[in-house]
Amino acid sequence: MGMIKKNNATFFLFVNSFLWGSSYVWSKMLLGFLPRFSILFLCSLGGLIVSMLIFRQGLRMITIKTVLRSIGITSFSILSNTFFMIALQYTSSSNTAFIVQMSVIITPVLMAVWERRMPERKMIQGALIALIGLFLLTCDFDSFRINVGDLFALFNAIFFSLFLVSLRINANKVKSVEFSCVYHAINTVAFLVLAGVFELQSIQFQGRITPIFVLLIMASVFITMATLLIQSKAIKFVRPEKASLIYTFEPVMASVLAFVFIGERLGGIKTFAGFVLILFAVFYTIHKQKVIDKKITAIQN
């Protein structure tokens, strides 16, 4: 991913947000063929096979230290995805969609603790505005109730934030290609075990391997690989708290693409207001950061 530089890393994170938003649609369509952990297993396995074929030359110098660091980072992602799947069993999708995006608040706090400083005011302002927008966008006021599933969704947000922060901390210590291969290998094993424990009785391939199924799996494998490579490279140039704010675009993209591809109805004024607040929060924060960077550059010159 040598094309990702400091001056375009933010753009690639927006691409990631679009790809992840689209994955909600493809994953929902795949649920008509297989249960959740089985889908995650196939996507991880596909990502591992493709990564090994494409990047096999770059894996010859991989070290034990790199493998151990990658396993540590990957464990946060596995826990995040697992809690997400569990949360969906115990709470509504609207509750889950909102609570998992709490990472927009959790990530700045974790970075502040790691760096022993107060979170930047502009980042907290943007995160709070985005959170209000997410609430309007994702929550059904008639069915919003607090239950045990919401706690699992919160754990998902916490571990995703830890994943972003650990990626940032190790960005210059682990090569993105090497990390990608280890990540897919560990995920493949983890989701194979989870699928075997929770879904073995419900897996039926007979009559389900259709051209649409194959296309959906291929699209999901591509998204799994592309988003991981982009994120592990771009996080060297973009702070995790800014990345988590950009990722609030995911439910916006998911809503629009679900409307286009599977006919899900867009909400009324509440949904539109959520869109606007998220857009405002992201671009407000990015604009403020550019102004601050220009002032710092001017002082240094």
Side-chain angles (χ1 to χ4, degrees):
M1 299 300 289
M3 68 182 74
I4 300 178
K5 308 293 183 183
K6 185 176 181 179
N7 62 346
N8 63 10
T10 298
F11 166 77
F12 275 99
L13 287 180
F14 276 107
V15 172
N16 246 20
S17 187
F18 172 82
L19 290 173
W20 264 330
S22 73
S23 71
Y24 285 91
V25 179
W26 317 137
S27 296
K28 188 166 185 176
M29 295 172 71
L30 274 170
L31 286 172
F33 296 90
L34 289 173
R36 292 183 176 90
F37 287 123
S38 301
I39 293 170
L40 289 173
F41 162 69
L42 288 177
C43 291
S44 299
L45 178 62
L48 175 62
I49 293 171
V50 176
S51 296
M52 294 290 287
L53 290 173
I54 296 177
F55 305 121
R56 61 184 182 277
Q57 297 294 332
L59 298 177
R60 293 181 177 179
M61 302 300 292
I62 192 170
T63 64
I64 295 297
K65 186 177 290 187
T66 295
V67 172
L68 292 176
R69 285 184 186 275
S70 299
I71 291 174
I73 299 168
T74 301
S75 64
F76 292 129
S77 176
I78 292 172
L79 287 168
S80 175
N81 283 321
T82 301
F83 277 117
F84 176 76
M85 293 301 183
I86 297 173
L88 287 173
Q89 296 177 3
Y90 294 100
T91 190
S92 66
S93 58
S94 59
N95 279 32
T96 305
F98 170 67
I99 296 171
V100 297
Q101 293 294 338
M102 287 289 290
S103 60
V104 74
I105 292 293
I106 298 169
T107 303
V109 173
L110 290 177
M111 281 303 298
V113 170
W114 174 260
E115 297 176 342
R116 298 180 183 179
R117 60 166 181 80
M118 290 296 292
E120 295 180 27
R121 185 174 64 178
K122 65 172 180 59
M123 196 61 64
I124 293 298
Q125 290 171 342
L128 289 173
I129 295 170
L131 205 59
I132 296 170
L134 285 165
F135 184 74
L136 294 173
L137 175 64
T138 60
C139 286
D140 182 353
F141 294 147
D142 295 330
S143 63
F144 189 80
R145 301 288 187 274
I146 303 298
N147 58 54
V148 67
D150 300 329
L151 182 61
F152 291 128
L154 181 59
F155 283 139
N156 166 267
I158 292 171
F159 282 110
F160 180 72
S161 297
L162 286 168
F163 176 60
L164 281 180
V165 171
S166 61
L167 262 182
R168 170 71 178 200
I169 293 170
N170 293 280
N172 294 317
K173 301 173 184 176
V174 178
K175 294 180 180 179
S176 56
V177 168
E178 295 174 348
F179 171 71
S180 175
C181 290
V182 176
Y183 176 91
H184 290 306
I186 300 302
N187 272 271
T188 298
V189 174
F191 291 128
L192 175 61
V193 172
L194 288 168
V197 171
F198 294 107
E199 301 171 350
L200 188 60
Q201 300 301 320
S202 59
I203 298 175
Q204 296 180 359
F205 283 103
Q206 186 175 2
R208 297 191 176 190
I209 304 179
T210 64
I212 294 177
F213 172 77
V214 174
L215 286 173
L216 288 172
I217 286 292
M218 290 174 62
S220 298
V221 168
F222 168 77
I223 289 171
T224 299
M225 286 189 58
T227 52
L228 182 66
L229 287 170
I230 290 172
Q231 182 171 268
S232 59
K233 184 69 174 181
I235 206 72
K236 295 180 181 180
F237 310 110
V238 179
R239 293 184 61 83
E241 54 267 50
K242 183 178 177 181
S244 65
L245 184 61
I246 292 172
Y247 289 157
T248 59
F249 265 119
E250 286 178 37
V252 176
M253 295 298 145
S255 297
V256 173
L257 291 172
F259 171 75
V260 172
F261 287 100
I262 56 179
E264 287 192 1
R265 186 176 62 86
L266 289 173
I269 188 66
K270 179 176 72 72
T271 300
F272 179 75
F275 283 176
V276 172
L277 283 174
I278 292 171
L279 287 168
F280 173 78
V282 174
F283 288 108
Y284 163 79
T285 305
I286 292 174
H287 174 71
K288 290 279 284 186
Q289 184 62 55
K290 287 182 178 179
V291 171
I292 292 171
D293 291 343
K294 286 180 180 179
K295 288 182 178 178
I296 292 173
T297 303
I299 292 171
Q300 290 175 344
N301 293 335

